[in-house]
Amino acid sequence: MSTNWASATAIALLLSVSTSAAHAEEVTAWRLFISDHADPKVTVIDAVNGGKLDTFQIKGPASLHRSESGRTVFAVQGSAGVVTGIASGISFEDHGEHGDIDVEAPKLAGVEIVGEKPSHFVEHDGDFAVFFDGEGVARIISEKAVLEGKSDFREVKTDAPQHGVAVAYGSHVLLSEPNREKPDELPVGIRVADKAGAQVGGIHACPDLHGEASSGNILAFACATGLLVVTQRDGTPAIRHLPYADSLPDGKTTTLIGGRGLQYFLGNYGADKVVLIDPTLESDAFRLIGLPTRRVHFAVDPVRAKFAYVFTEDGQLHQIDVVKGEIANSLKLTDPYSMDGHWSDPRPRVAVAGDRIVVTDPLQGVLHLVDATSFEKTGDIAVEGKPFNIVSVGGSGQTHEGE
């Protein structure tokens, strides 16, 4: 009997694909990491079923930052002088036509970065830079090192303690320049340092520097006069100044977040406004959006690129259409949270976890869940204490039996 080898090979391949597909399972996993306003802890919640996965004891109340990959979360504890790394337990592997997801228990990564008054925490291309205000020093570490439990960080020093910022930018580091005449005031610019720490070029003026973010391949710093916009050119950071439009009222941006999917920045501008910024334009780059009351917190939607969300002190969550530059929907969620009082008083924070928008309500001890499609409230999750800062990690992917 003769054998048709081409047909046999095709059948074998088809059977192999069918078997592989049969053992592949689509999995969705989302986790919420929530710090407490008063207690030194981070609570991890399964955002899919609402159950608590773990609580990590840390050294002090923390602000939280997640990595771009979602594999790590960092708790910056300014009053305790330490930054704690947490492995989220969720990771993805890109296979072109599909992505695999690996889900494990979250855990402390075993890495702490210690110093005086840690403040701004910035990631760029898998490198994290923590600026320690009390020392004027940035400590930089890679995500790979954190996940391996290695405290392999390098230091870059500025000339004086300051409420500063640093960004590891390829083979360079961008560093804030202190106000030498008034050291207690905000930095006055950005300088570029090479691998050896030597300054490259002059100081790029940025008075009252406060706030930075990335959107796509563009990095921006907020200044009293506009933005410093950073792009890569021949392996070196190229920095230009984007001034505020003359049509804007008096004010400035001090907090920036970068759009995902669409390239833009969203910033505060005065107590009851936000501003949309297109960093690719030279004119008409700023669009102001008025709010009904003072702004508490805002976040962009990484899944539905045309939307961002702003929570205001009257207890409302607003859906911002960033394409039209207007409020599309509003939803009452909490009792009022007045912006009078101390800047660090417990107030709601916003995160997006897949198809859910999650808003912390620290005075009630709950997380409010909003469907991102219908923009309707769908439920609450109780969290012990005063749930405050929040980040989400997760997504969907395939798992393969036996792997």
Side-chain angles (χ1 to χ4, degrees), residues 222-242:
C223 321
T225 55
L227 301 188
L228 287 186
V229 178
V230 186
T231 54
Q232 191 82 259
R233 182 186 300 163
D234 299 327
T236 302
I239 303 176
R240 68 180 178 92
H241 182 249
L242 178 63

Side-chain angles (χ1 to χ4, degrees), residues 8-62:
T9 301
I11 292 170
L13 285 171
L14 185 60
L15 287 172
S16 173
V17 171
S18 299
T19 301
S20 175
H23 289 284
E25 180 184 358
E26 188 76 14
V27 171
T28 295
W30 281 95
R31 288 173 177 172
L32 304 171
F33 291 76
I34 305 114
S35 64
D36 192 88
H37 185 266
D39 294 336
K41 66 179 182 179
V42 177
T43 301
V44 189
I45 300 291
D46 186 323
V48 177
N49 62 28
K52 186 172 82 169
L53 296 174
D54 211 332
T55 298
F56 300 118
Q57 298 299 318
I58 51 178
K59 302 288 176 37

Side-chain angles (χ1 to χ4, degrees), residues 79-117:
S79 61
V82 63
V83 179
T84 302
I86 302 170
S88 73
I90 296 179
S91 61
F92 297 89
E93 187 173 352
D94 183 14
H95 292 287
E97 76 283 357
H98 74 276
D100 286 355
I101 185 173
D102 184 54
V103 182
E104 301 176 345
K107 63 180 182 181
L108 293 174
V111 172
E112 291 187 337
I113 309 171
V114 178
E116 190 176 344
K117 296 182 180 179

Side-chain angles (χ1 to χ4, degrees), residues 184-207:
D184 292 337
E185 296 191 0
L186 291 172
V188 296
I190 288 289
R191 66 180 173 92
V192 180
D194 63 16
K195 278 187 175 180
Q199 183 170 319
V200 178
I203 302 297
H204 301 269
C206 183

